[in-house]
Amino acid sequence: MRQYDDPVEVRRGEEQDPDQFLWRGRLWKVRAVVAHWVETGPWWQGATDRDGAAGDLLAERELWRVEAGRGAPPARPVPDEESSPSYGVFDLSFDWTDGRWQLVGCLD
């Protein structure tokens, strides 16, 4: 699994799980949610804000491991698309403190 820290735009489906996401200018359609969990921040690090005041020590982020694809493969491979996979398993993270989505891992 490759680790990333890339911002992504996510559309949620009816179940509030990720349905589609835009990563590096490419739209990915979620085919299946493989796993879903919540992580809290390390309590021993004591998050602080810009003014040095202690922040929420139990900040949560929600993670989804999803199988996603860019659609059916083309009949004839396009040269620049050949090296880039059309499906993969991705870890998407939603940070409750700032409302941001990030792609944190990819297995392709």
Side-chain angles (χ1 to χ4, degrees):
M1 171 92 43
R2 289 187 224 158
Q3 302 297 312
Y4 292 95
D5 192 21
D6 293 352
V8 291
E9 292 179 37
V10 175
R11 281 194 193 135
R12 292 185 185 219
E14 289 181 22
E15 301 294 320
Q16 295 301 309
D17 292 337
D19 187 50
Q20 298 177 353
F21 60 96
L22 186 63
W23 178 48
R24 296 184 176 176
R26 296 185 182 215
L27 182 64
W28 294 82
K29 172 75 173 139
V30 174
R31 296 178 180 167
V33 174
V34 178
H36 176 219
W37 68 97
V38 175
E39 290 180 351
T40 57
W43 58 267
W44 60 89
Q45 288 183 349
T48 59
D49 63 15
R50 290 184 206 169
D51 300 326
D56 183 8
L57 297 178
L58 297 177
E60 291 184 342
R61 71 178 187 165
E62 202 165 354
L63 289 111
W64 285 266
R65 180 162 289 160
V66 299
E67 180 182 316
R70 293 195 328 237
R76 259 186 298 168
V78 179
D80 66 333
E81 295 281 322
E82 223 171 303
S83 63
S84 176
S86 61
Y87 65 92
V89 175
F90 301 88
D91 285 352
L92 300 172
S93 166
F94 180 73
D95 190 334
W96 284 99
T97 57
D98 58 13
R100 288 185 325 154
W101 282 93
Q102 289 186 285
L103 186 131
V104 295
C106 174
L107 178 66
D108 52 7

